[in-house]
Amino acid sequence: MMTSEGRTPQAPDAPLLPPLVVVIEDEAIVLAGYQMLFESWGYRVIAAQSADEAVSLIEEEGEAPGFILSDFRLRDGQTGTEAIGMLRRTFGGHIPGAVVTGDTTVTGEGLKEAEAEGTPILHKPVNGRQLQDILSRSLG
């Protein structure tokens, strides 16, 4: 995102913008719910139904995300772990994130991988306070 003077918001005298949170969820109603929740907490939100859509929207925004939340099971067999990995490779490997799953155990390959990378795994139904804690810890 560019200011009217053509500088990026990271410039020292630019106003501090709230952190940018990316949510990837292939169910539109659930995605809208996350977006409203995060916006109510004061975050800017990019809501996407796939990793590819998220990349396009982030590129339009012109700013790397501060946090990525992804549902584990996405369309076309993609996992949230893969989606977060794709965004990290594209916009910076340090971006914190979390995976949301309806699975009751961490036995799936992608979930084990997420856990090994230190990516928190949240089980549905997601507890709002737990999610807010993860966001505030991740975003300082």
Side-chain angles (χ1 to χ4, degrees), residues 81-106:
T81 309
E82 292 166 343
I84 290 172
M86 179 178 168
L87 268 60
R88 285 177 174 158
R89 284 189 301 279
T90 308
F91 300 104
H94 62 281
I95 303 166
V99 174
V100 177
T101 182
D103 295 348
T104 53
T105 60
V106 183

Side-chain angles (χ1 to χ4, degrees), residues 24 50-52 72-80 82-83 86:
I24 304 170
S50 70
D52 290 334
F72 182 69
R73 296 194 190 288
L74 299 170
R75 288 197 183 112
D76 303 321
Q78 187 177 51
T79 68
E82 292 166 343
M86 179 178 168

Side-chain angles (χ1 to χ4, degrees), residues 43-123:
Y43 297 107
R44 291 175 301 135
V45 180
I46 287 179
Q49 292 189 325
S50 70
D52 290 334
E53 183 186 1
V55 168
S56 297
L57 293 170
I58 295 164
E59 286 172 345
E60 280 175 34
E61 187 69 25
E63 177 187 343
F67 189 86
I68 306 160
L69 180 74
S70 181
D71 189 48
F72 182 69
R73 296 194 190 288
L74 299 170
R75 288 197 183 112
D76 303 321
Q78 187 177 51
T79 68
T81 309
E82 292 166 343
I84 290 172
M86 179 178 168
L87 268 60
R88 285 177 174 158
R89 284 189 301 279
T90 308
F91 300 104
H94 62 281
I95 303 166
V99 174
V100 177
T101 182
D103 295 348
T104 53
T105 60
V106 183
T107 55
E109 198 49 51
L111 289 175
K112 283 183 180 171
E113 187 183 321
E115 196 173 53
E117 291 171 0
T119 301
I121 298 165
L122 302 171
H123 295 276

Side-chain angles (χ1 to χ4, degrees), residues 1 3-5 7-18 44 63:
M1 182 171 184
T3 63
S4 56
E5 296 86 16
R7 292 178 312 216
T8 61
Q10 286 73 25
D13 54 349
L16 269 177
L17 294 171
R44 291 175 301 135
E63 177 187 343

